[in-house]
Amino acid sequence: MVQPIVDVSPPKWHLGHTTWFFETFILTPNKQGYRIFNKQYDFVFNSYYETIGNRVLRTDRGNLTRPSVQEIISYRDYVDLQMIEFLTDLQEVNLKLADLMELGLQHEQQHQELLLYDIKYILGHNPLFPAYKIDSPINNIINPVSNLKFLTVNAGNYQIGNNSEMFHFDNEEGVHLVYLHDYAISDHLASNEEYLEFMESGAYNFFRYWLSEGWAWVNENKIKSPLYWH
């Protein structure tokens, strides 16, 4: 139930919210005789769906000592079982229901990503620095000095945005052109060694490395390193 800042939701809330999505938008209107697990969960696990009704303010999610984690897992098990029954008995799938199902699955993946971010923030700000996973293997180790390569992109107008029939969120729409100057980008993620070199060269002390808003942020917050760098 930890919520250290407004932008971090308690991990158990993510589990409840993604479950609530399937109950509210798939099962309740479509499964005959469906019984809602707990009517109070509409208020607890609604995020921003105004048409559903009132909801717990985002800043107050960390005050939800109840329902417990086990109660939320029971809720998830119940909805999972109901979804299996619903899909097994389904005779035909109309386009609206198919779109809702895909949105629900994409929404679930989105929250899995958010959940990982939030757990990282919670553990990263714990003074004991507990590990998320002890035996996690380190893959794709590279030697940045010998393998450093840059991919060049030529200046010009590039079309961005999505107007396809495949799934996409609404903020990916609005196809338009943007002009890009010549630039080059590394063909691999920056290593700790490379980033340390960047910091030691004055990364957070010289404005030439930053756009104006970024430079203002560095100075206002006295930033000297990335958030999780120790």
Side-chain angles (χ1 to χ4, degrees), residues 155-159 177-180:
N157 288 315
Y158 289 87
Q159 180 174 292
L177 293 175
V178 295
Y179 179 80
L180 299 178

Side-chain angles (χ1 to χ4, degrees), residues 9-154:
S9 292
K12 71 174 186 178
W13 186 88
H14 286 289
L15 297 177
H17 171 68
T18 51
T19 305
W20 170 86
F21 182 97
F22 285 99
E23 178 178 63
T24 303
F25 298 108
I26 304 292
L27 292 172
T28 300
N30 294 294
K31 189 175 190 291
Q32 188 173 3
Y34 178 74
R35 295 179 60 183
I36 293 175
F37 186 84
N38 188 321
K39 292 182 179 180
Q40 290 182 316
Y41 286 4
D42 262 352
F43 178 68
V44 173
F45 293 123
N46 185 2
S47 56
Y48 52 77
Y49 298 93
E50 299 287 353
T51 57
I52 303 300
N54 292 326
R55 60 196 184 279
V56 172
L57 293 176
R58 186 178 182 182
T59 52
D60 293 338
R61 291 172 184 170
N63 295 329
L64 293 168
T65 57
R66 297 294 183 273
S68 67
V69 173
Q70 188 55 55
E71 287 173 316
I72 293 174
I73 291 174
S74 296
Y75 174 43
R76 195 169 177 84
D77 289 343
Y78 173 81
V79 171
D80 279 350
L81 181 60
Q82 294 293 321
M83 282 295 299
I84 291 172
E85 289 182 0
F86 171 65
L87 294 174
T88 301
D89 296 337
L90 199 61
Q91 299 299 314
E92 61 178 316
V93 180
N94 59 51
L95 186 60
K96 181 179 179 181
L97 180 59
D99 286 345
L100 270 175
M101 281 294 302
E102 184 168 22
L103 178 61
L105 295 171
Q106 295 283 350
H107 176 254
E108 177 96 16
Q109 293 180 76
Q110 182 185 39
H111 275 273
Q112 288 175 2
E113 185 176 358
L114 289 168
L115 179 60
L116 189 60
Y117 286 162
D118 287 356
I119 291 175
K120 183 177 181 179
Y121 189 96
I122 290 168
L123 298 182
H125 287 76
N126 185 312
L128 299 179
F129 294 108
Y132 171 71
K133 191 174 182 181
I134 299 295
D135 58 348
S136 180
I138 298 175
N139 297 320
N140 300 322
I141 297 175
I142 61 169
N143 182 340
V145 176
S146 61
N147 292 304
L148 184 60
K149 297 177 182 177
F150 281 87
L151 308 175
T152 59
V153 177
N154 297 323

